[in-house]
Amino acid sequence: MKKLVKPFLIVQLILISWTLQAQNTTVTGKVTDSDGMEVIGANVTLKGAVGTGTITDLDGMYTLQIPDPATATLVVTYIGMQTQEVAVNSRNRIDIFLKTDAVLLDEVVAIGYATAKRRDLTGSVSSVQGEEIGKIPVTNVSQALAGRIPGVQVIQSEGSPDAEISIRVRGGMSITQSNEPLYIIDGFQSENGLQGLDPSDIASIDVLKDASSTAIYGSAGANGVILITTKSGKEGRATVSYDMYYGFKKLTKRLDVLSTLEFVQLEYERAQTAGDQECINFLKYYADPYDENKGSAADQMYTAYATLADVYGNRAGIN
């Protein structure tokens, strides 16, 4: 009887070892994103099992021991990607594809080396949405900002319809240097400001007015920073929109300026009182050039004056 017990125990141990080997399965696979690129450092864990997991290597590969492959479920997580749960179903090879997790952020604003929600930001940030700008019939985006952002002044240098428009954030800060703010369009600095931008192409305009601007852009943002985000394509059905307006601009009052003849006569009087060199310059630009063989510059100026009415009397000026 004792001789039979020992072989029986050996057989039982062998059966238990086979059972354990049958239950523990090594699962391998590769984790990639929607573009087919390897996802490095993704967490691959066994659902419901604390401490059972691994991470993907430089090739996006993982290896994990599964105690119960028939009912086990793998959970794959990665920052910026949607969490995936995949049933093992006694498979030895499982490749997993992660999708980008596109979530709506609660208006996150960059502050130097970190981010913060807009309601928690202590700096002064003002925004204008593209829908508001698109409703205003203007040819220059700068005109649409007038009176819409506190602390931002839109100044037109002249009364002419095509006069240059300047923007001042919190007024002028320098006497000798430029007071223009820093313009950032879709993440890139713009030297031309808002010129050339179609108001209908703008998604939003954000203005950084306090220390928050210098924290990000340094001394370049000392006069404030204007961030412009333009519209871009969106996934979904194609849409076509049409918007138009027409109008005209004109000066309400035109200043009475000198005629061509009056301007040349004024230049003549100025040259007469400025000296011989100015008389020579006058003859060069408005009459026959100075010739030493024809006498002094004063004598040639007198001869030239008699011909000014004939040369410039009926000549139209340039507007």
Side-chain angles (χ1 to χ4, degrees), residues 267 270-285 290 292 296-298 301:
E267 286 292 291
R270 185 186 64 82
Q272 284 282 42
T273 59
D276 289 343
Q277 185 59 45
E278 288 298 322
C279 291
I280 295 174
N281 292 337
F282 176 86
L283 293 171
K284 177 181 177 181
Y285 289 106
Y290 171 70
E292 296 180 355
S296 65
M301 284 281 289

Side-chain angles (χ1 to χ4, degrees), residues 118-130:
R118 186 184 197 84
R119 61 174 176 267
D120 299 331
L121 189 64
T122 57
S124 179
V125 180
S126 300
S127 300
V128 177
Q129 298 303 316

Side-chain angles (χ1 to χ4, degrees), residues 130-183:
E131 291 79 3
E132 300 179 21
I133 298 176
K135 296 177 182 178
I136 306 174
V138 294
T139 56
N140 193 314
V141 180
S142 303
Q143 297 173 338
L145 298 180
R148 292 185 171 269
I149 302 179
V152 176
Q153 297 176 328
V154 179
I155 304 171
Q156 191 165 358
S157 58
E158 300 176 359
S160 174
D162 59 346
E164 182 181 355
I165 297 177
S166 300
I167 296 180
R168 297 291 181 267
V169 178
R170 299 292 187 191
M173 305 296 291
S174 175
I175 299 176
T176 59
Q177 302 299 320
S178 174
N179 288 304
E180 288 292 325
L182 178 65
Y183 296 93

Side-chain angles (χ1 to χ4, degrees), residues 307-319:
T307 62
L308 292 182
D310 297 333
V311 176
Y312 296 99
N314 298 322
R315 182 176 297 185
I318 299 175
N319 187 352

Side-chain angles (χ1 to χ4, degrees), residues 68-282:
D68 190 4
T71 60
T73 301
L74 296 180
V75 180
V76 184
T77 59
Y78 190 75
I79 297 176
M81 301 288 184
Q82 295 180 3
T83 301
Q84 296 285 352
E85 294 188 5
V86 181
V88 177
N89 293 332
S90 301
R91 292 177 292 173
N92 294 337
R93 173 82 183 197
I94 303 176
D95 294 331
I96 301 171
F97 300 93
L98 297 180
K99 297 180 180 180
T100 303
D101 188 10
V103 297
L104 181 63
L105 300 178
D106 185 13
E107 287 194 274
V108 175
V109 179
I111 50 171
Y113 302 101
T115 58
K117 290 186 177 181
R118 186 184 197 84
R119 61 174 176 267
D120 299 331
L121 189 64
T122 57
S124 179
V125 180
S126 300
S127 300
V128 177
Q129 298 303 316
E131 291 79 3
E132 300 179 21
I133 298 176
K135 296 177 182 178
I136 306 174
V138 294
T139 56
N140 193 314
V141 180
S142 303
Q143 297 173 338
L145 298 180
R148 292 185 171 269
I149 302 179
V152 176
Q153 297 176 328
V154 179
I155 304 171
Q156 191 165 358
S157 58
E158 300 176 359
S160 174
D162 59 346
E164 182 181 355
I165 297 177
S166 300
I167 296 180
R168 297 291 181 267
V169 178
R170 299 292 187 191
M173 305 296 291
S174 175
I175 299 176
T176 59
Q177 302 299 320
S178 174
N179 288 304
E180 288 292 325
L182 178 65
Y183 296 93
I184 304 295
I185 302 178
D186 291 334
F188 296 93
Q189 182 177 348
S190 173
E191 299 294 339
N192 297 326
L194 299 178
Q195 297 179 8
L197 279 178
D198 190 342
S200 61
D201 292 337
I202 295 178
S204 64
I205 296 179
D206 299 305
V207 181
L208 308 182
K209 295 181 285 188
D210 289 336
S212 57
S213 58
T214 55
I216 302 173
Y217 299 100
S219 60
N223 295 325
V225 181
I226 298 180
L227 306 174
I228 301 97
T229 303
T230 59
K231 296 179 181 178
S232 59
K234 297 181 180 179
E235 184 179 356
R237 297 178 58 185
T239 58
V240 178
S241 61
Y242 175 75
D243 184 20
M244 66 86 63
Y245 74 93
Y246 73 93
F248 61 91
K249 295 181 179 180
K250 66 177 182 179
L251 293 174
T252 56
K253 182 180 180 181
R254 185 181 296 275
L255 297 177
D256 187 16
V257 296
L258 298 176
S259 66
T260 305
L261 177 60
E262 291 172 339
F263 176 78
V264 176
Q265 290 175 341
L266 181 64
E267 286 292 291
Y268 174 86
E269 295 176 3
R270 185 186 64 82
Q272 284 282 42
T273 59
D276 289 343
Q277 185 59 45
E278 288 298 322
C279 291
I280 295 174
N281 292 337
F282 176 86

